[in-house]
Amino acid sequence: MKKALLGLSLLVGLAACDVNRLPETNISDDSFWTSESDIKAANNYLYTFLPGFNNDDVWSDDAFGLASNTVSDGSRLAPATAGGDYNTPYNLIRAANNVLEKAPRAAVTPAVLDRYLAEARFFRAWGYFGLVQKYGSVPLILKTLDENSPELRQPASPREAIVDQMYADLDFAIANLPTITSLGNPDYGRISKTAAQAFKARVALFEGTFAKFHSKRDATKHLTLAVASSKAVIDSKEHALYGNYFDLFQLAGEGRQNKENIIVRQYGVSTTERVATHTYYRGSLENGNVNPTKSLADSYLMRDGLPLTKSKLWTLPDSSHKVFRNRDTRMSATFMKRGDAMMTTKPIFDIANLVFNKTGYMFRKFANVDDWNTQASTIDRPLLRYAEVLLIFAEASYELNNAVTDEELDMSVNLLRERGQIAKLTNAFAKTNGLDLREEIRRERRVELAQEGFRYWDIIRWKIAETELVKPVLGNFYFKSEFAAATVNLTPDNIILVQAASFRKFDPLKDYLWPLPINEIALNPELAQNPGW
């Protein structure tokens, strides 16, 4: 698949409108759709839409960049023209619709055809989920259009209708895709049966909790599907947690030997055998485009399974690196700490550079010294892990029943806690220590999936953005003897103040949905702007 994607990378450089229109010297569209290899090659293009590394966590309270973010602090305006947030999903949807319409021309067996149609329908659902998350209701397009198509001027479809179409597409994918085991090493990276099940669980959890906490539609329907879909992945026995949390995000964690990764954006295995490269570590971590906050740091439990406010193991540190003592080991794998390998010009990390790392913290996930040197990393981006499936199962079970059993906790979050080397979560433990099970399940999701682009969407669906995003952005404890001279604002208790609450706002009447691009509304008068924008 990597060889196929490498060839297709030549097409990726073209504008989206050009990708759908091959040069006249190439094979014509009418003569292309004749064999399995043709369909597979067309489907390979869909994989180029899997998202690469980004800094989306700065939209949330988990991270802060070199400057304030307009999504996070509530200062953004409706965009004048459509960008990647709106156009890219529709480009993917068009490409998927193109496959669905033309692949049946090929001389292949029904089973082979359905397998590739299943891939296309998976990617169509993937595209619509990105649109629904941001905009809620959007036009539902299920065929390729030309400039005269009346669908170009249709109103947005109801959100529930779009979600039901996603479920239908994913159910077809689940029924017709091969297992990840049968894909084996040759087709590693292609979408599998459990990938479709796991993604359906993600969609259903998002919709179920959004419906529940925003008092909209039928939450039970979606939460029931989330439990069933995540449980189907668990029962398949196709996946398992990877042993080492830090290595999970390194080259060591790549390939079929890592049964935790369910969907990945592949880059390659070395600088000489690669599909593409990225500079996420050097550009986004070292240069300060995304840095963890105190809010995220404080979410990590102590070894006894208790939060900082309740654990006897926690004492105020007298140096910044002591915040890592007796903590969930995933914190040390996610945050840079004294003694970690860093980069050629500074081989061992000691303290964050406040010029770049505004919070006084620095992320460690995906950190690799060789990548700093080459600026051409081939570390894959995990897009859906088995750990997320376990978290979906736990959260959906709780939200469906307003309770979760110890057995359900043992088969989900406690497996993750065991890897983090912290005490188990049980109903008795929560009651004894005055813990809220919902909050502990949410905490587990936050720390397990930190720096992977989930936090913003979680606080949106839980309807807590209006509470969390208006808080001040804080960083590490500040000790003058450690940090190099830098202009820094501090709270009265000696914590780095990155952005005061007075500069942050969130309007719950409009900010839970994104604004549609103004030019799209001008092009289609039937398309209504989201409330408040």
Side-chain angles (χ1 to χ4, degrees):
M1 180 179 174
K2 289 180 179 176
K3 291 179 181 177
L5 284 174
L6 184 59
L8 281 165
S9 65
L10 298 174
L11 288 176
V12 178
L14 300 173
C17 59
D18 294 327
V19 169
N20 295 317
R21 213 160 131 195
L22 296 173
E24 291 179 3
T25 54
N26 284 17
I27 189 168
S28 70
D29 190 62
D30 286 340
S31 60
F32 175 74
W33 303 91
T34 61
S35 66
E36 179 180 355
S37 62
D38 288 347
I39 306 173
K40 189 173 184 178
N43 273 16
N44 285 346
Y45 175 57
L46 305 177
Y47 285 84
T48 67
F49 286 88
L50 289 174
F53 286 89
N54 55 52
N55 300 324
D56 290 357
D57 279 303
V58 300
W59 298 343
S60 76
D61 55 347
D62 268 7
F64 193 87
L66 288 167
S68 61
N69 177 267
T70 59
V71 175
S72 174
D73 68 16
S75 62
R76 64 179 161 167
L77 302 173
T81 58
D85 291 318
Y86 191 83
N87 282 342
T88 299
Y90 272 120
N91 287 340
L92 171 58
I93 291 162
R94 176 180 172 81
N97 285 338
N98 192 51
V99 172
L100 293 171
E101 291 174 4
K102 296 175 181 175
R105 302 176 187 175
V108 296
T109 65
V112 169
L113 175 62
D114 284 347
R115 182 258 176 97
Y116 292 107
L117 295 181
E119 280 190 343
R121 291 186 69 167
F122 170 89
F123 278 104
R124 184 165 67 181
W126 184 279
Y128 271 115
F129 182 58
L131 289 168
V132 167
Q133 277 187 306
K134 290 185 175 74
Y135 305 105
S137 298
V138 294
L140 179 61
I141 308 297
L142 300 178
K143 64 179 184 179
T144 56
L145 307 180
D146 60 35
E147 60 269 22
N148 298 313
S149 296
E151 289 85 358
L152 291 173
R153 291 169 179 80
Q154 72 180 31
S157 297
R159 180 175 182 145
E160 197 76 4
I162 301 170
V163 175
D164 284 343
Q165 181 61 51
M166 284 192 274
Y167 288 153
D169 282 345
L170 293 171
D171 285 341
F172 184 89
I174 291 165
N176 292 284
L177 286 172
T179 66
I180 199 166
T181 297
S182 61
L183 284 171
N185 289 325
D187 272 335
Y188 172 75
R190 299 199 82 87
I191 300 301
S192 66
K193 179 185 184 76
T194 46
Q197 290 170 323
F199 184 62
K200 182 179 178 182
R202 177 189 287 180
V203 173
L205 178 70
F206 190 92
E207 286 303 296
T209 49
F210 192 95
K212 181 173 182 175
F213 296 109
H214 291 257
S215 301
K216 297 177 182 292
R217 304 179 312 281
D218 184 359
T220 299
K221 164 189 168 180
H222 301 294
L223 291 171
T224 300
L225 288 174
V227 171
S229 298
S230 56
K231 184 65 161 52
V233 178
I234 295 170
D235 290 344
S236 74
K237 308 297 183 186
E238 292 278 350
H239 299 280
L241 295 179
Y242 191 69
N244 186 296
Y245 186 77
F246 178 73
D247 284 349
L248 180 59
F249 309 100
Q250 299 291 311
L251 289 172
E254 294 192 358
R256 184 66 190 101
Q257 52 85 27
N258 175 3
K259 293 187 176 182
E260 181 166 347
N261 284 342
I262 300 177
I263 302 175
V264 296
R265 170 63 186 258
Q266 294 188 93
Y267 285 87
V269 295
S270 68
T271 54
T272 56
E273 188 179 348
R274 68 194 190 191
V275 177
T277 63
H278 62 85
T279 58
Y280 181 62
Y281 174 46
R282 188 161 188 168
S284 297
L285 299 173
E286 178 216 339
N287 289 347
N289 291 343
V290 54
N291 305 290
T293 62
K294 184 178 188 294
S295 178
L296 174 60
D298 288 353
S299 296
Y300 289 85
L301 297 169
M302 305 301 292
R303 272 198 328 244
D304 57 11
L306 295 174
L308 309 188
T309 54
K310 292 180 178 289
S311 177
K312 294 180 180 179
L313 296 175
W314 171 253
T315 56
L316 286 175
D318 54 16
S319 63
S320 60
H321 71 279
K322 289 185 179 178
V323 297
F324 298 98
R325 292 181 302 182
N326 299 317
R327 304 292 289 276
D328 182 333
T329 59
R330 288 171 294 182
M331 184 178 186
S332 294
T334 304
F335 285 58
M336 276 284 184
K337 62 187 183 304
R338 185 175 296 179
D340 286 336
M342 187 176 176
M343 58 191 185
T344 303
T345 55
K346 187 177 181 180
I348 303 299
F349 179 81
D350 55 0
I351 199 73
N353 184 344
L354 291 177
V355 174
F356 297 108
N357 312 120
K358 302 294 186 182
T359 65
Y361 285 120
M362 182 175 170
F363 274 125
R364 187 180 178 221
K365 268 186 182 179
F366 306 104
N368 185 287
V369 175
D370 292 337
D371 291 351
W372 188 90
N373 293 332
T374 63
Q375 299 192 61
S377 176
T378 57
I379 293 176
D380 292 344
R381 183 188 178 190
L383 295 172
L384 203 163
R385 300 193 278 121
Y386 185 57
E388 183 192 346
V389 174
L390 299 181
L391 291 163
I392 291 171
F393 176 76
E395 184 182 347
S397 296
Y398 181 88
E399 296 300 347
L400 185 61
N401 304 303
N402 290 315
V404 62
T405 67
D406 287 348
E407 181 182 9
E408 289 167 335
L409 291 171
D410 282 344
M411 61 187 289
S412 56
V413 298
N414 283 332
L415 297 176
L416 304 176
R417 287 186 169 218
E418 181 180 3
R419 181 163 65 180
Q421 299 177 29
I422 56 174
K424 289 173 58 173
L425 178 64
T426 66
N427 281 271
F429 181 84
K431 183 177 181 180
T432 299
N433 292 285
L435 302 175
D436 182 290
L437 276 172
R438 171 183 284 154
E439 293 306 313
E440 293 310 304
I441 291 170
R442 289 181 176 182
R443 179 202 303 278
E444 192 64 34
R445 180 179 174 88
R446 185 178 190 180
V447 301
E448 174 65 34
L449 302 178
Q451 202 193 337
E452 296 179 56
F454 289 92
R455 176 64 177 174
Y456 173 77
W457 298 114
D458 287 343
I459 62 177
I460 290 294
R461 63 188 176 88
W462 294 330
K463 205 178 183 297
I464 60 172
E466 61 205 73
T467 301
E468 300 304 314
L469 289 185
V470 298
K471 293 178 180 178
V473 178
L474 304 177
N476 202 350
F477 290 89
Y478 179 81
F479 297 97
K480 191 173 182 179
S481 60
E482 294 179 326
F483 287 97
T487 301
V488 59
N489 295 318
L490 300 174
T491 67
D493 46 356
N494 207 45
I495 293 168
I496 296 170
L497 175 61
V498 184
Q499 188 179 34
S502 58
F503 292 99
R504 301 179 65 80
K505 62 181 180 179
F506 185 93
D507 183 351
L509 297 180
K510 72 180 182 71
D511 286 331
Y512 279 110
L513 291 175
W514 285 33
L516 290 163
I518 293 172
N519 74 313
E520 292 297 320
I521 298 172
L523 291 168
N524 178 8
E526 297 299 317
L527 195 60
Q529 182 60 281
N530 276 323
W533 292 101

